[in-house]
Amino acid sequence: MTEIWRGVWVVAYREILRFVGDRARFLSSFAMPLLFLIIFGAGFTRTIGALAQGVNYIQFMYPGIIAMTVLTSSLFAGMSVVADREFGFLKEILVAPIGRTGIVLGKAAGGSLVALIQALVMLVLAPILGVKLTPTLVLSLIPVVIILSLGLSSLGVLIASFMQSQQGFQLFVQILIFPLIFLAGVFFPVNNVPAWMEIISKVNPLTYGVDAIRQIFLGSAHGLGVTVFGHVMTVPSEMALVGVLGAFLLLGAVIVFNRQE
Amino acid sequence: MKAIDVENLSRRFGKIEAVKEISFAIEEGEIFGFLGPNGAGKTTTINMLCTLLRPGGGSARVNGFDIVRQRSDVRRSIGLVFQQSTLDEQLSAEQNLRFHGYAYGVPAALREQRIHDLLTMVELYDRRQHKVRTFSGGMKRRLEIARGLLHLPRVLFLDEPTLGLDPQTRKHIWDYLHDLRQRENLTIFLTTHYMDEAENCGRIAVIDHGRIVAMDTPDGLKNAVGGDLVTFSTADAQAAAQFVREQYHVEPQIQDGQVRFHVTSGETFLPDFVREFPQRLLSVGLRRPTLEDVFLSLTGHEIRDSELDAKDLMRQHMQRWQR
Ligand SMILES: Nc1ncnc2c1ncn2[C@@H]1O[C@H](COP(=O)(O)OP(=O)(O)O)[C@@H](O)[C@H]1O
Ligand SMILES: [Mg+2]
C-alpha cells in the first residue's frame, strides 16, 4: 500500500514538474479556449443579446470554456503516458518498486492537478468579462474541477493504454474532443435544440460537468440549466454522476494497465 | 548466496523462442557478461530478471528473491541501465536522479549525498542543472549508470552499455565500472555483442539463438578452442598440412594458402616446430585466439554476420523513409 501511495505522488509530482518546466505547452494550452472566447464572444454577444436575466452570451459561454480547458488538459494526461512509452522513460517507472496501480493513479492525479491549475488561471479573465468572482465561488469550483478532471484523465490514460505513438493518440483524442465539446452545451443551452441533438447532449457526460461549472458561476436561477426528464439537475447530483463514471474509467485504466506487459 | 541464480529460464514470443531453458549462477562481486549477436535473447533475459517480463518457464532468483513472487524485493535490490535511454530529457540531470530517489523511497539525506557523490563520480556534477536533452550520448549513458546506482543496489544490470558510443567513451565507461565494482562491491551483469568489451568480464556466457553455448572466463573459453593459434606458409601447403597432421596429431586448416592449427602453450612449441619442419618456411605466426575465434568455433558463424544484417535492415528502412 505504501508503494502505491509513493507511486501516486512521485508520478504526479513529475507531471507537475514537466508542466511547469514547459512554458510553451502552458501558453499554447490556452490558445484554443481564448480563441473561442474572443471570436465566438465578439461574434455572437451582440446578435444574441441576453440569454437570461443578466446573463449575456459571453458570460454564458465562459464557464463552458473553462470546462473545455479542463477536458483538453486532462485528456492529455494520456499523452504523457504515450510519450513516456515512446521516449523510454516508462521503463524507468515500470521497474521502480511502485506498482502499476500507483502509476495510473499518479498519472490521473497529475493530469487532474494540471487541469486544476489551468482552470484557475482562466479565472483571471472573469473581471474582464464582467463575471463576479467570490471566494465561495472559487472554493466550490475546485472540487468540481477535480472530480471532472480525474475522470477525464483516467479516460486519457485508458486510451493511451491502447496507443503506441503520440500521433495516433493525438489524432484519436482530437476526433473525440470536438463532438464532446460541441455537444456538451458549451456554446448553447442544450434544452432548446432539436430532439436528436438533445438526446446526444444529455447522454454526453461532459454536459453535466459544463452545467455544474456554469451553475457555480451563474447560479441556478437563470433557467438555462440542464433538465433530465423535466427535473433541473443540481450541482451535487451532476457531480455524483460525473464522479461515478470517472471512478469506472479510473478502475478501467488501472485494470488495463496492470494486464499489459 | 548467489547474486543471480537461474534455472531453465525460457520465454517465447508467439512462434519465436527468444530464450530456451538457460541456466547459470553468478557469484557476488562478479562481472558477468552475456555475449551474443543481435536477437540472441540477451535483452529478453534481462527483462525477465528485472521483473519487467514474465518468464515462460523455469525460475530465477536475484539476490535471493524470486523474480515472480518477490518482484518488489527484486526491484529494490537491482539497478538497471537499459539498451535504449530511459531518461526524462525534459528534466535536468539532478531532477532525473531525484525522481529515482523518490520512486525507490531513498531517505532524503542519503539521497542528496548519493546524488552528489555519483554525479561527481561520472563527472556530471557541473552539468547537474542542465536539461538531459542537451547531453551527448556518452553523458546520458553515464547519467543512467549513476541513476541505476542511486538506491544502493547489489546487482547492476547493463544492457549493451556502450552501444553506439565511440571507443574513447567506451573505455571511459569501463573505467567507471571497474572502479565501481571495487568501491561498492557490486555484482555486474551485462550484455554485449562487442568482443573486446567481453574481455572486461570475469566470466562470459556465449549465447546464440536463445541458448547458452559456452560459459567460462575469457581465457578459459580461448583455451577450450584448443590453445594458441599457429599460422605459417610454405611453397606446398598440402604437404605441410600432411606433415603437421602426422607429426603433432592435430587437424590443420588451410586458409588463403596459410596453414593454421591450435596448440597448447605456443611459446615453447614454436622453436621446436621451426627446427623440425622439413621445408623452407616463408612465414610463421603465433597468436592467442580471440573471442571472435571462440564464437566462430562454437556457433559456426561470426558474430558480425547478424550484426551486419541488423544494420542493413536499418539502412533499408531509412532509405525507404527518405524516398
Ligand atoms: N516484445 C517482443 N515481441 C516479439 N518478439 C520479440 C519481442 N522481444 C524480443 N523478441 C524477439 O526475441 C528474440 C530475442 O530478442 P532480444 O532478447 O531483444 O535479443 P538481443 O537483446 O540479444 O538482441 C528476437 O528474435 C526478437 O525479435
Ligand atoms: Mg538487446
Side-chain angles (χ1 to χ4, degrees):
Chain A
M1 206 58 203
T2 54
E3 286 198 342
I4 292 183
W5 287 122
R6 197 171 66 236
V8 174
W9 95 255
V10 297
V11 172
Y13 162 80
R14 172 169 165 268
E15 292 303 307
I16 306 288
L17 210 57
R18 281 169 65 102
F19 176 70
V20 173
D22 192 349
R23 228 164 289 145
R25 176 181 154 204
F26 181 73
L27 293 176
S28 69
S29 61
F30 292 109
M32 237 213 333
L34 279 182
L35 209 67
F36 275 121
L37 212 52
I38 292 167
I39 294 179
F40 281 28
F44 288 131
T45 305
R46 260 187 246 160
T47 316
I48 294 175
L51 284 159
Q53 183 70 40
V55 180
N56 68 15
Y57 181 67
I58 203 161
Q59 287 162 347
F60 170 84
M61 186 173 61
Y62 173 58
I65 294 289
I66 290 180
M68 174 178 141
T69 314
V70 171
L71 170 81
T72 34
S73 172
S74 309
L75 280 182
F76 274 80
M79 184 71 161
S80 92
V81 175
V82 188
D84 283 352
R85 194 183 342 259
E86 225 172 296
F87 292 117
F89 192 79
L90 194 63
K91 267 192 172 175
E92 154 81 352
I93 306 177
L94 286 177
V95 291
I98 52 182
R100 304 256 170 133
T101 306
I103 297 172
V104 174
L105 295 180
K107 285 283 182 192
S112 174
L113 274 173
V114 168
L116 179 64
I117 295 171
Q118 294 200 316
L120 292 178
V121 171
M122 288 293 287
L123 291 183
V124 301
L125 294 175
I128 304 169
L129 304 177
V131 175
K132 222 177 115 223
L133 284 184
T134 62
T136 333
L137 187 156
V138 177
L139 283 181
S140 41
L141 184 66
I142 291 173
V144 170
V145 169
I146 289 180
I147 292 173
L148 181 63
S149 60
L150 265 180
L152 289 166
S153 339
S154 307
L155 177 63
V157 175
L158 190 61
I159 296 170
S161 303
F162 300 101
M163 295 286 166
Q164 291 303 322
S165 76
Q166 292 190 67
Q167 283 95 327
F169 181 85
Q170 213 149 9
L171 196 70
F172 188 92
V173 166
Q174 224 97 73
I175 291 172
L176 185 73
I177 275 181
F178 280 101
L180 268 181
I181 288 177
F182 284 119
L183 297 172
V186 172
F187 301 104
F188 41 79
V190 295
N191 291 333
N192 199 13
V193 292
W196 64 268
M197 201 183 217
E198 184 176 346
I199 292 170
I200 298 176
S201 296
K202 286 179 179 175
V203 170
N204 178 1
L206 189 64
T207 301
Y208 303 98
V210 171
D211 192 59
I213 293 179
R214 184 167 287 138
Q215 286 196 38
I216 287 172
F217 275 93
L218 307 178
S220 50
H222 52 64
L224 298 169
V226 176
T227 54
V228 175
F229 302 121
H231 293 282
V232 179
M233 295 290 283
T234 61
V235 175
S237 61
E238 286 176 330
M239 279 305 101
L241 195 150
V242 171
V244 167
L245 189 65
F248 273 111
L249 287 169
L250 189 57
L251 190 67
V254 167
I255 291 172
V256 169
F257 207 72
N258 268 296
R259 286 233 181 110
Q260 282 179 340
E261 272 206 330
Chain B
M1 188 186 68
K2 303 266 191 251
I4 298 178
D5 200 349
V6 175
E7 255 178 69
N8 298 325
L9 201 62
S10 309
R11 172 73 204 210
R12 48 165 62 243
F13 296 105
K15 283 204 182 97
I16 306 167
E17 274 191 85
V19 174
K20 301 173 195 165
E21 306 208 336
I22 57 170
S23 301
F24 59 91
I26 304 179
E27 299 293 335
E28 280 180 33
E30 245 191 300
I31 298 189
F32 185 89
F34 248 33
L35 174 67
N38 277 324
K42 304 185 295 295
T43 300
T44 306
T45 306
I46 285 207
N47 283 346
M48 286 191 284
L49 292 180
C50 74
T51 75
L52 262 186
L53 199 64
R54 282 186 168 274
S59 66
R61 290 182 162 270
V62 176
N63 292 316
F65 303 118
D66 188 280
I67 59 163
V68 177
R69 268 166 283 139
Q70 295 166 290
R71 283 147 66 110
S72 283
D73 295 310
V74 171
R75 288 171 179 208
R76 230 185 296 274
S77 71
I78 60 171
L80 281 157
V81 178
F82 289 105
Q83 193 170 334
Q84 271 100 23
S85 164
T86 61
L87 295 164
D88 186 337
E89 308 229 331
Q90 286 195 40
L91 300 185
S92 70
E94 206 174 33
Q95 284 175 324
N96 268 285
L97 295 191
R98 204 160 279 139
F99 176 88
H100 189 87
Y102 294 145
Y104 283 74
V106 182
L110 177 65
R111 182 188 69 225
E112 295 306 314
Q113 182 67 41
R114 289 289 285 174
I115 289 177
H116 175 270
D117 293 352
L118 288 164
L119 281 179
T120 309
M121 187 197 84
V122 297
E123 295 170 78
L124 287 173
Y125 191 71
D126 293 340
R127 300 288 299 262
R128 66 187 183 281
Q129 287 179 349
H130 292 226
K131 293 206 168 167
V132 173
R133 167 160 27 98
T134 64
F135 284 14
S136 70
M139 290 164 77
K140 284 184 197 165
R141 204 50 65 89
R142 269 145 56 197
L143 181 60
E144 283 197 272
I145 292 174
R147 184 181 66 180
L149 293 168
L150 185 77
H151 56 286
L152 293 163
R154 303 211 309 273
V155 178
L156 180 64
F157 288 90
L158 300 147
D159 197 2
E160 313 243 7
T162 62
L163 188 77
L165 300 181
D166 58 272
Q168 219 176 335
T169 315
R170 282 167 66 181
K171 186 179 171 305
H172 210 62
I173 296 226
W174 269 105
D175 290 342
Y176 290 129
L177 292 179
H178 285 300
D179 186 36
L180 265 170
R181 190 180 68 107
Q182 278 176 349
R183 245 199 275 183
E184 316 225 339
N185 187 33
L186 201 62
T187 308
I188 298 180
F189 178 104
L190 68 102
T191 73
T192 183
H193 66 268
Y194 294 125
M195 294 290 171
D196 49 342
E197 189 155 278
E199 300 274 0
N200 285 293
C201 302
R203 274 195 311 145
I204 302 171
V206 179
I207 179 166
D208 192 35
H209 298 299
R211 279 212 173 83
I212 293 182
V213 291
M215 186 159 48
D216 206 337
T217 60
D219 282 335
L221 284 173
K222 290 172 195 168
N223 287 335
V225 188
D228 300 339
L229 184 68
V230 178
T231 57
F232 68 94
S233 55
T234 68
D236 188 348
Q238 292 297 338
Q242 182 69 22
F243 171 80
V244 169
R245 204 172 290 128
E246 283 167 9
Q247 191 79 10
Y248 308 114
H249 311 289
V250 293
E251 189 52 44
Q253 294 168 305
I254 301 177
Q255 206 175 42
D256 305 329
Q258 286 218 318
V259 184
R260 306 157 48 110
F261 61 99
H262 291 281
V263 294
T264 46
S265 58
E267 283 90 348
T268 54
F269 170 84
L270 207 54
D272 292 340
F273 171 73
V274 173
R275 208 174 326 108
E276 287 163 9
F277 192 72
Q279 303 173 35
R280 207 170 82 85
L281 284 163
L282 298 174
S283 69
V284 185
L286 172 73
R287 67 173 168 90
R288 299 278 298 143
T290 60
L291 284 174
E292 203 94 39
D293 300 320
V294 172
F295 194 83
L296 181 63
S297 87
L298 284 170
T299 65
H301 62 93
E302 286 187 40
I303 205 165
R304 298 251 171 269
D305 290 348
S306 30
E307 189 188 342
L308 270 182
D309 286 352
K311 271 192 198 143
D312 283 345
L313 274 176
M314 181 90 97
R315 207 164 296 135
Q316 281 172 10
H317 269 296
M318 305 278 254
Q319 280 166 357
R320 216 169 294 151
W321 273 37
Q322 278 160 7
R323 246 174 251 151

